[in-house]
Amino acid sequence: MSGRRKFIKTAALGSVGLSTFSACATQAAEVLKTTADKTIKKPVIISTWNHGLAANQAAWDTLKNGESGLSAIETGLKISEADPKVRSVGYGGLPDREGKVTLDACIMDKNSDCGSVSFLQGIKHPISVARKVLEKTPHVMLTGKGALNFALSQGFKEENLLTPESEKAWKNWLEKSKYQPVINIENHDTISMLLVDSDGNLTGGCTTSGAAWKMHGRVGDSPIIGAGLFLDNEVGGAAATGLGEAVIRTAGSAMVVELMRQGKSPNEACKIIVERIYNKHKNHKDMPHLQVGFIAVNKQGEYGGYSLRSGFNFAVCDAKNGNRMEKPDFKMTWKD
Ligand code: ASP
């Protein structure tokens, strides 16, 4: 196991706000540690990967405007979905092996209501469609053509999500067509976001284009409540990134929440589940390219994360420390 590590965050996103609530704005350079801060004040927003920083900011601003947790999560995640430079989410996401961008997303609120879409094509904001599933249907999950038809019926516009850059990457891949899930290569995979508001109420969401070059029709963990995302408003929430198959096999996010229910801290709970995933996969064919990372937050606003391999990071936003990147501990490096 690696030791505790720190790093300096250099990115900047706007200025430091004046009021307590707006103080989430990113600070220029701050040394950060991975341990959950016991004195942290709610609200807290935590999101996977570097693109979580801009998403956190948008979510924070939405919450600050007095909007709901669902609106904050949706608004935050839409930032990554719309960004063509984020090649693992929404518009510009890397396609499957047939060159099709297929999207998975889910959202869950403090009442345990949830909405999810999987294998959705041609809609830039799957997280918004997932929210509509939650709010407008008697169901939790819609998939494929049915999800698309539902989105169109709700006024969403069908558009081409394959950018020239992602198409070029796919054509390069086609030359060898060697299938291996591409996970965690460039530090900007699935965005999963968890939010605890000032009353301690939880909301969460996930959105992704999934593993690049996946088989057409493959669905990962991200739209599956209990795998890519889970929360229980009495306890806390957890969300995953990494090889979805491994997270589904272990009901990863639900298990992290159950461990917190038993008294584990967010950090401890994430670590125990990553250890479990490692133990179940150490002789598995997926092991050479296996990466999983979890983030978690409890009702008190303590947060944490842990990953199987190095390279995982997450963005955290709270009034005390601003919006910044943190690197959690991990079990092993890619060379181990
Ligand atoms: N969990 C996602 C999936 O398996 C991918 C990722 O997080 O990078 O589809």
Side-chain angles (χ1 to χ4, degrees):
M1 185 192 80
S2 67
R4 218 169 272 301
R5 55 192 64 75
K6 298 176 176 182
F7 82 116
I8 311 281
K9 201 206 82 44
T10 50
L13 256 185
S15 57
V16 176
L18 296 175
S19 74
T20 311
F21 206 102
S22 63
C24 182
T26 302
Q27 295 172 19
E30 182 162 346
V31 179
L32 299 158
K33 57 185 168 46
T34 57
T35 317
D37 181 351
K38 304 283 187 231
T39 62
I40 207 152
K41 276 181 70 177
K42 295 168 281 196
V44 181
I45 301 173
I46 174 167
S47 299
T48 52
W49 303 113
N50 292 332
H51 51 120
L53 209 53
N56 275 0
Q57 190 69 61
W60 186 272
D61 291 344
T62 307
L63 211 55
K64 191 178 108 191
N65 285 342
E67 294 184 51
S68 65
L70 279 175
S71 293
I73 292 280
E74 180 188 0
T75 307
L77 295 183
K78 280 174 76 176
I79 300 288
S80 300
E81 288 180 340
D83 186 346
K85 293 192 293 309
V86 177
R87 308 286 288 282
S88 48
V89 180
Y91 176 60
L94 291 171
D96 64 16
R97 55 177 76 179
E98 295 180 17
K100 308 252 174 34
V101 179
T102 77
L103 305 174
D104 298 335
C106 72
I107 194 160
M108 187 164 192
D109 73 11
K110 62 180 180 185
N111 303 315
S112 294
D113 280 325
C114 33
S116 160
V117 288
S118 64
F119 190 48
L120 175 63
Q121 296 177 63
I123 301 289
K124 194 186 252 177
H125 291 300
I127 193 65
S128 302
V129 186
R131 182 175 178 183
K132 291 277 187 212
V133 172
L134 184 162
E135 290 176 340
K136 306 266 179 178
T137 80
H139 304 304
V140 163
M141 191 167 195
L142 292 178
T143 195
K145 191 88 178 115
L148 175 61
N149 288 343
F150 170 69
L152 297 175
S153 78
Q154 295 297 309
F156 290 84
K157 201 169 81 251
E158 202 170 350
E159 52 195 303
N160 176 23
L161 303 180
L162 187 66
T163 56
E165 291 74 19
S166 288
E167 187 170 13
K168 194 167 156 220
W170 170 61
K171 289 196 168 142
N172 286 342
W173 175 81
L174 271 184
E175 283 172 20
K176 290 198 182 134
S177 298
K178 183 172 172 288
Y179 183 62
Q180 180 180 313
V182 179
I183 295 287
N184 191 35
I185 301 299
E186 293 171 299
N187 275 11
H188 50 60
D189 290 28
T190 294
I191 182 159
S192 301
M193 177 184 280
L194 301 166
L195 177 161
V196 192
D197 71 16
S198 36
D199 298 324
N201 289 319
L202 289 132
T203 322
C206 278
T207 180
T208 189
S209 50
W213 332 133
K214 61 193 174 187
M215 287 176 71
H216 189 60
R218 179 265 191 189
V219 171
D221 59 318
S222 306
I224 298 178
I225 301 295
L229 174 75
F230 191 69
L231 62 85
D232 182 326
N233 206 49
E234 288 171 21
V235 179
T241 181
L243 187 67
E245 283 74 5
V247 177
I248 295 170
R249 286 179 195 122
T250 50
S253 295
M255 293 302 156
V256 171
V257 172
E258 287 314 297
L259 285 161
M260 291 194 289
R261 194 192 304 277
Q262 291 164 26
K264 301 292 180 205
S265 73
N267 263 339
E268 287 166 342
C270 292
K271 185 175 173 201
I272 290 169
I273 292 308
V274 167
E275 293 282 352
R276 185 178 299 170
I277 290 175
Y278 170 75
N279 285 328
K280 294 213 177 289
H281 288 84
K282 57 187 175 210
N283 300 316
H284 194 279
K285 62 180 168 29
D286 283 344
M287 193 59 208
H289 55 260
L290 182 59
Q291 168 68 316
V292 288
F294 288 91
I295 53 172
V297 69
N298 65 20
K299 212 170 162 54
Q300 289 69 47
E302 294 173 330
Y303 64 90
Y306 194 83
S307 62
L308 177 65
R309 286 190 157 107
S310 49
F312 177 48
N313 61 1
F314 57 79
V316 193
C317 190
D318 69 272
K320 185 176 166 212
N321 298 309
N323 190 20
R324 70 280 183 188
M325 296 304 303
E326 294 201 14
K327 278 191 178 177
D329 281 345
F330 50 84
K331 180 171 177 61
M332 60 204 280
T333 68
W334 285 93
K335 292 194 196 106
D336 292 337

